[in-house]
Amino acid sequence: DGGITQSPKYLFRKEGQNVTLSCEQNLNHDAMYWYRQDPGQGLRLIYYSQIVNDFQKGDIAEGYSVSREKKESFPLTVTSAQKNPTAFYLCATSWSSGANVLTFGAGSRLTVL
Amino acid sequence: DAKTTQPPSMDCAEGRAANLPCNHSTISGNEYVYWYRQIHSQGPQYIIHGLKNNETNEMASLIITEDRKSSTLILPHATLRDTAVYYCIVRVGNAGGTSYGKLTFGQGTILTVHP
């Protein structure tokens, strides 16, 4: 089945620790995105990547980092510099960077203790 | 991107049609209407989109008024699994430029389907 795999689904972290969220896709889509969702809120764009070895900051990139070494993978690292990291993180892909039809993963829920 | 207005919540009986409205009175001629839904604790799911003609797929129908200032998403036979938040988004098709992936998911409409 073609799709997006996000892992882990649930993650607990102590303050001051970095964590990396995985996003893998087998849709052969060029563009990949990371969004953050807080309870009762809409989605906010963290980072996006149009092609391998290229990525751009979204609206709330501070405290996050990404890499795009392979077309299939776009991991997100939540660093200790992110002041309020507890949230639901969603990875998405699209066939091109300008397309508005996005496919989303199931999400990863990060809780900072 | 044009601003959209949706009712905060709606109810529907199982098996009946669910009609979800969206107002987008400032829509431009090159902007499409997109619908997504998000079931609790899952990622959003694309449903359908259209420019000015009515559209139908296996999930839903999209009716856009002639003046394009509003639209309605129709789930013809709602089931309990259709309970979700439904988002109406208006955006230039294949936007590109500096707007990559910046779909604006607002508050949406919470649709509750009752047995």
Side-chain angles (χ1 to χ4, degrees):
Chain A
D1 284 341
I4 301 171
T5 301
Q6 288 190 243
S7 62
K9 188 169 179 63
Y10 299 97
L11 184 61
F12 297 88
R13 179 195 106 172
K14 294 182 180 179
E15 282 193 26
Q17 290 181 334
N18 293 352
V19 294
T20 297
L21 308 180
S22 171
C23 178
E24 302 281 332
Q25 58 112 348
N26 61 6
L27 299 168
N28 201 32
H29 284 174
D30 285 328
M32 298 187 73
Y33 314 85
W34 275 105
Y35 285 86
R36 167 183 172 140
Q37 187 173 35
D38 294 286
Q41 302 297 313
L43 279 67
R44 292 184 290 170
L45 183 64
I46 305 172
Y47 267 99
Y48 62 93
S49 169
Q50 302 170 54
I51 56 173
V52 174
N53 293 322
D54 179 73
F55 50 83
Q56 304 295 329
K57 293 182 178 179
D59 298 321
I60 56 165
E62 185 175 352
Y64 300 97
S65 66
V66 294
S67 63
R68 186 88 186 273
E69 297 177 0
K70 300 185 301 182
K71 185 175 184 177
E72 300 79 16
S73 179
F74 192 41
L76 173 74
T77 297
V78 184
T79 75
S80 58
Q82 170 50 233
K83 299 303 181 188
N84 186 20
T86 294
F88 188 46
Y89 290 89
L90 289 156
C91 177
T93 69
S94 64
W95 63 270
S96 79
S97 53
N100 295 320
V101 177
L102 271 58
T103 301
F104 283 84
S108 293
R109 190 168 299 279
L110 172 63
T111 302
V112 174
L113 305 173
Chain B
D1 297 346
K3 177 180 169 61
T4 62
T5 303
Q6 299 178 253
S9 64
M10 295 183 64
D11 290 336
C12 179
E14 189 176 20
R16 305 297 291 269
N19 299 301
L20 293 101
C22 180
N23 286 322
H24 31 79
S25 59
T26 61
I27 191 170
S28 300
N30 61 348
E31 288 182 313
Y32 287 70
V33 180
Y34 295 82
W35 283 85
Y36 282 78
R37 73 179 182 183
Q38 186 175 21
I39 296 170
H40 183 63
S41 293
Q42 296 183 22
Q45 176 189 25
Y46 163 79
I47 301 172
I48 198 168
H49 74 280
L51 181 62
K52 52 184 177 182
N53 297 323
N54 298 337
E55 302 288 344
T56 295
N57 63 19
E58 65 278 6
M59 290 183 67
S61 295
L62 174 61
I63 308 298
I64 302 174
T65 58
E66 192 168 343
D67 63 6
R68 302 186 70 239
K69 294 183 184 300
S70 66
S71 60
T72 301
L73 178 74
I74 301 172
L75 308 178
H77 305 287
T79 70
L80 299 179
R81 287 177 293 182
D82 292 321
T83 293
V85 180
Y86 287 78
Y87 299 99
C88 170
I89 300 167
V90 172
R91 198 154 189 272
V92 175
N94 203 28
T98 59
S99 301
Y100 298 112
K102 289 188 179 181
L103 296 180
T104 301
F105 289 81
Q107 298 299 308
T109 296
I110 301 172
L111 174 68
T112 303
V113 181
H114 297 286

